[in-house]
Amino acid sequence: MIANYYTYDQTTLEVDHQPKKLIRQSKMDELPASALLVDPLEPEKGKAVVVCEFDKTGRPQSTKYVDDHRGKYACSTSHPYRKEKVDYIGEIKEGWTLKERSTDFDEWIDGDWVTDKSKLNEHLASVEQHEMISELNWVDVQLKYHSTGDAKRATISIDSLNAYAIKCRDYVQSIDGVSTIVGDKPVRPTEQNHT
């Protein structure tokens, strides 16, 4: 008589879906004491099949699904730049998540990443402020073309340059000690006539 049975990992309880065959020569039970004698659940994407419901001799009686995120990366909810590759089955460990942050300014609040808008806006204002400083440096170079009489390079009017410099200075302001973007981003003048 041929008996089919299944084995499983003794640590994780995960079932090996490859059935083992035993040709029984006698009526004595020659199967391993921990053998699974029922067909396990079919494999399912994102799930692992594990044994459960053991009888008093330690033999598993059925199987169930548990989450399987192995190979994916989990992110620490308290230290968002820290990631670990999942190498276990079951739920993701406490303090970790598979959810990705959408910005560097996200904080873990009530089971989800929430963007701290004030930090994000301050960062964006800082980036824009650096760009405006670069633009003001460009204006200074353009004004020097005018002051040195370099008609070949002085292609934008002094009035346009001065107006642009004021807009650049006003674009990012410190309001209550916080860098804040105010109004629309100034557009660099491109006039070809100058006075």
Side-chain angles (χ1 to χ4, degrees), residues 71-178:
K72 296 179 182 177
Y73 284 88
C75 178
S76 169
T77 57
S78 58
H79 303 290
Y81 292 103
R82 186 171 165 213
K83 291 189 173 191
E84 287 185 1
K85 192 172 189 177
V86 178
D87 62 356
Y88 55 89
I89 60 175
E91 293 182 14
I92 297 298
K93 296 184 288 190
E94 183 72 28
W96 293 83
T97 183
L98 293 174
K99 294 179 181 179
E100 294 284 331
R101 295 183 310 152
S102 58
T103 75
D104 286 342
F105 305 97
D106 289 358
E107 296 176 355
W108 190 253
I109 299 173
D110 296 330
D112 211 350
W113 292 113
V114 177
T115 302
D116 183 331
K117 300 281 188 197
S118 64
K119 286 182 182 176
L120 174 62
N121 290 339
E122 192 169 346
H123 171 73
L124 294 175
S126 175
V127 169
E128 291 296 317
Q129 185 174 32
H130 283 87
E131 184 177 345
M132 291 303 105
I133 290 169
S134 176
E135 288 300 292
L136 288 169
N137 289 335
W138 175 82
V139 168
D140 286 345
V141 169
Q142 298 302 312
L143 290 171
K144 285 179 183 165
Y145 292 153
H146 284 281
S147 67
T148 60
D150 189 344
K152 179 180 171 185
R153 293 182 180 86
T155 59
I156 299 170
S157 73
I158 292 174
D159 289 342
S160 293
L161 291 169
N162 287 335
Y164 181 61
I166 291 167
K167 288 177 184 177
C168 287
R169 286 187 209 104
D170 289 345
Y171 181 54
V172 179
Q173 298 177 18
S174 178
I175 299 175
D176 295 329
V178 177

Side-chain angles (χ1 to χ4, degrees), residues 24-48:
R24 298 179 88 172
Q25 308 265 338
S26 70
K27 293 186 179 187
M28 293 184 67
D29 192 13
E30 299 162 356
L31 294 168
S34 62
L36 175 65
L37 302 178
V38 297
D39 288 336
L41 295 169
E42 289 296 318
E44 191 175 295
K45 186 176 180 175
K47 300 288 183 185

Side-chain angles (χ1 to χ4, degrees), residues 7-16 49-52 54 89:
T7 58
Y8 60 92
D9 183 287
Q10 297 293 317
T11 304
T12 65
L13 304 181
E14 186 174 14
V15 174
D16 176 358
V49 178
V50 297
V51 294
C52 59
F54 295 84
I89 60 175

